[in-house]
Amino acid sequence: MDNIIEIKDLYFSYNESTPVLKGLNLTIARGENVAILGPNGSGKSTIAKLLLGLIEAQSGQIIVNGLELNLANLYDVRKNIGMVFQNPDNQFIGSTVRDDIAFGLENICVPQEEMDDIIIANARKVHMEKFLDHEPKKLSGGQKQRVAIAGCLAMEPNIIILDEATSMLDPLGRGQINRSINKISKDKNITVISITHDIEAAKEASRVVVVNNGVVQREGRPDEVFLDQDFMEAMRLDVPFALKVSSELKKSGYNINKTIDEKELVDQICQLNLKK
């Protein structure tokens, strides 16, 4: 398997008395869509900052697209990664949405005659094409997040890191953005890493990684991890809505399989009604 990210025995602490990562190991394949979950203080957002070189680990190794992350390779590593933070105000540069999306393209010397089509196409992906001439600071929190995501997508990085990047969106908006990003990941073979509390979004990932107490506690397909409700409870994590409903129905004596998939849940309920 072609691993685009390798994290080996990583240790990090913001202060000497409180270690955050304690020998964390993780590999992510090229084109994979991974959701990293964990309770507050588990170290999941710290992983994102370390991958981008915003902070430096005490020990361990990070390899991104074949390059070891160090001072000499920092610029080349960062060229592979696009990151969207939880607070989009921290990322705005331009005076309009159009200028803001264009900023990154200018930095990588995209020809002016090609730029406008790229800006419009990526604004459309996040349903912000009607706001290209608006000032970012006058947008709602959710709209700002959409613009930040559009700017990241426009750069076509090998890796996209979303650090709670849809937290200000309503459920409909989160679903739209997550579907767009998943499609882009498949079409362009882009690796997507979502640092998230959103279990409904995480269940759409190809792999879930649960981090707690500074190490990876468990990883696997979403259904493998989420169906273990005792583990999820021990990690202080929520479970998908469909699993909550199917579990309660099973406890009430209905012949139904636990599932994290809402369509599968509806199909099972319909089958039960047909048998009455």
Side-chain angles (χ1 to χ4, degrees):
M1 185 178 291
D2 180 14
N3 290 324
I4 195 168
I5 291 174
E6 297 177 63
I7 299 174
K8 302 177 181 180
D9 206 25
L10 202 62
Y11 285 82
F12 177 82
S13 177
Y14 289 102
N15 58 66
E16 293 182 3
S17 62
T18 314
V20 178
L21 300 181
K22 309 170 186 176
L24 183 132
N25 291 280
L26 178 64
T27 58
I28 296 175
R30 190 179 304 275
E32 196 174 12
N33 184 347
V34 175
I36 299 180
L37 302 171
N40 290 333
S42 62
K44 58 187 186 298
S45 288
T46 299
I47 296 170
K49 293 173 185 174
L50 285 163
L51 284 171
L52 202 58
L54 297 177
I55 53 178
E56 185 178 1
Q58 272 74 50
S59 64
Q61 188 180 38
I62 298 174
I63 298 172
V64 178
N65 206 20
L67 293 171
E68 183 173 359
L69 179 59
N70 53 37
L71 194 57
N73 291 332
L74 181 59
Y75 178 73
D76 290 327
V77 168
R78 283 180 175 171
K79 285 195 297 186
N80 287 280
I81 301 173
M83 186 162 180
V84 183
F85 296 95
Q86 184 173 6
N87 185 355
D89 287 318
N90 295 337
Q91 294 184 248
F92 288 138
I93 301 294
S95 58
T96 67
V97 169
R98 186 187 305 274
D99 292 341
D100 200 76
I101 298 173
F103 179 78
L105 299 174
E106 291 169 348
N107 283 344
I108 59 173
C109 302
V110 173
Q112 191 69 41
E113 61 270 18
E114 298 176 16
M115 204 176 290
D116 207 46
D117 286 343
I118 296 172
I119 292 168
I120 292 169
N122 285 282
R124 189 173 289 129
K125 288 172 186 174
V126 296
H127 308 282
M128 288 298 291
E129 67 272 20
K130 295 179 181 178
F131 295 84
L132 286 171
D133 296 316
H134 287 58
E135 294 181 51
K137 67 180 181 180
K138 293 184 178 179
L139 300 175
S140 69
Q143 288 170 331
K144 289 177 181 178
Q145 281 190 318
R146 290 172 185 267
V147 173
I149 292 169
C152 177
L153 295 176
M155 301 286 288
E156 294 194 347
N158 293 313
I159 302 161
I160 295 175
I161 301 176
L162 306 170
D163 189 3
E164 300 286 0
T166 59
S167 60
M168 294 185 184
L169 299 176
D170 59 30
L172 178 61
R174 284 198 297 272
Q176 289 173 337
I177 296 299
N178 287 325
R179 283 191 295 274
S180 294
I181 291 170
N182 290 345
K183 185 176 187 305
I184 291 162
S185 173
K186 291 175 183 175
D187 292 348
K188 303 282 188 178
N189 202 32
I190 293 173
T191 304
V192 176
I193 303 170
S194 299
I195 313 291
T196 183
H197 282 94
D198 185 358
I199 294 294
E200 298 301 326
K203 75 180 186 182
E204 303 301 325
S206 56
R207 180 161 57 110
V208 169
V209 176
V210 179
V211 176
N212 198 13
N213 295 323
V215 296
V216 173
Q217 299 286 344
R218 189 163 178 180
E219 56 185 304
R221 295 196 319 268
D223 59 334
E224 292 175 334
V225 176
F226 295 160
L227 285 172
D228 188 344
Q229 289 177 271
D230 290 339
F231 169 76
M232 294 295 286
E233 184 177 336
M235 293 294 106
R236 306 192 304 280
L237 294 172
D238 200 3
V239 296
F241 175 74
L243 180 55
K244 292 179 183 178
V245 175
S246 60
S247 295
E248 289 302 315
L249 288 171
K250 194 169 185 66
K251 285 179 185 176
S252 299
Y254 291 93
N255 183 21
I256 197 164
N257 295 322
K258 292 182 181 181
T259 179
I260 67 169
D261 185 84
E262 291 179 10
K263 183 180 182 303
E264 182 182 342
L265 173 63
V266 171
D267 288 345
Q268 289 191 75
I269 292 172
C270 290
Q271 289 299 317
L272 285 175
N273 283 330
L274 289 173
K275 292 176 182 177
K276 285 185 177 180

